[in-house]
Amino acid sequence: IRADNLAEHLSVEERIDFFNEAHDRLEPGGMLWIRVPLLKLDNDHISGCFSDPTHKTFWTMETADYFNQ
């Protein structure tokens, strides 16, 4: 299953439903591939993930660790 720039547009509740549905539909050994804009903060700029007002959640590299258990 490929989710390219989708997950950041889901609310927390919708995201849980999405992951549960993906898990149910994946065949054994299947893969869920996700691409999201990463939240990166530094002294010079705020990440572009904040520039899209339709983003409901924000992701860091550590966010994936939560789902990869």
Side-chain angles (χ1 to χ4, degrees):
I1 298 173
R2 180 176 220 135
D4 191 352
N5 287 287
L6 167 76
E8 70 273 14
H9 296 278
L10 304 175
S11 69
V12 173
E13 295 80 12
E14 291 168 328
R15 188 170 59 190
I16 291 168
D17 291 342
F18 170 76
F19 279 103
N20 286 336
E21 185 71 21
H23 180 267
D24 290 346
R25 292 181 178 266
L26 280 171
E27 295 179 1
M31 182 182 294
L32 174 60
W33 183 91
I34 298 173
R35 182 190 310 207
V36 294
L38 291 179
L39 171 62
K40 295 185 238 174
L41 300 176
D42 62 35
N43 292 334
D44 297 327
H45 76 285
I46 296 176
S47 177
C49 70
F50 287 117
S51 63
D52 186 337
T54 66
H55 289 176
K56 296 180 181 179
T57 57
F58 303 100
W59 296 66
T60 66
M61 290 299 293
E62 292 78 17
T63 305
D65 293 340
Y66 176 80
F67 296 102
N68 198 21
Q69 296 181 22

